Amino acid sequence: MVFNTGAALLDAIVLAVVSTETEGTYGYKITQDVRKALDVSESTLYPVLRRLQKETYLEVYDMEFGGRNRRYYKVTGSGREKLLEYCNEWNEYSGKISNIFAEVER
């Protein structure tokens, strides 16, 4: 993709992906789901997950899976509020851009 991805957009996408799993989801799956929209590495996403946790938008818990602990991430109430804020801003922003692009002669 030729457009730069800002931190806020990446935060919004991660919150959206995690919010689809009511019991939470783990890092590798989050990476795979985010990659459906953006080309990002796991090393890019884990700092995002830590930041969202620090900001209390995500809660974290460990659960045993295949003899090992797996870290799960779940959206908090304040995380859902932030996600709705991101969605509203994105709809307004992308609508304006789409209107400008619609005026371009092809």
Side-chain angles (χ1 to χ4, degrees), residues 16-57:
V17 164
V18 175
S19 74
T20 64
E21 303 289 338
T22 57
E23 294 304 313
T25 187
Y26 54 97
Y28 179 76
K29 184 167 184 332
I30 295 168
T31 302
Q32 297 308 307
D33 291 344
V34 169
R35 282 183 179 160
K36 293 175 185 174
L38 301 172
D39 185 26
V40 294
S41 66
E42 286 183 56
S43 63
T44 299
L45 280 182
Y46 282 101
V48 172
L49 291 168
R50 283 192 295 275
R51 182 176 65 251
L52 292 172
Q53 179 188 1
K54 182 179 178 186
E55 294 172 353
T56 70
Y57 298 144

Side-chain angles (χ1 to χ4, degrees), residues 43-91:
S43 63
T44 299
L45 280 182
Y46 282 101
V48 172
L49 291 168
R50 283 192 295 275
R51 182 176 65 251
L52 292 172
Q53 179 188 1
K54 182 179 178 186
E55 294 172 353
T56 70
Y57 298 144
L58 293 178
E59 62 183 50
V60 178
Y61 65 94
D62 293 337
M63 189 177 348
E64 189 272 328
F65 180 82
R68 298 177 32 168
N69 272 343
R70 181 183 274 176
R71 179 149 291 177
Y72 284 80
Y73 300 86
K74 184 176 178 179
V75 176
T76 63
S78 61
R80 289 199 181 283
E81 289 174 16
K82 187 65 174 178
L83 176 57
L84 290 175
E85 181 183 320
Y86 280 139
C87 288
N88 290 333
E89 288 184 24
W90 175 257
N91 288 333

Side-chain angles (χ1 to χ4, degrees), residues 3 96-106:
F3 299 104
K96 290 176 182 178
I97 300 297
S98 294
N99 287 339
I100 291 171
F101 286 164
E103 295 175 11
V104 174
E105 291 186 34
R106 299 178 199 266

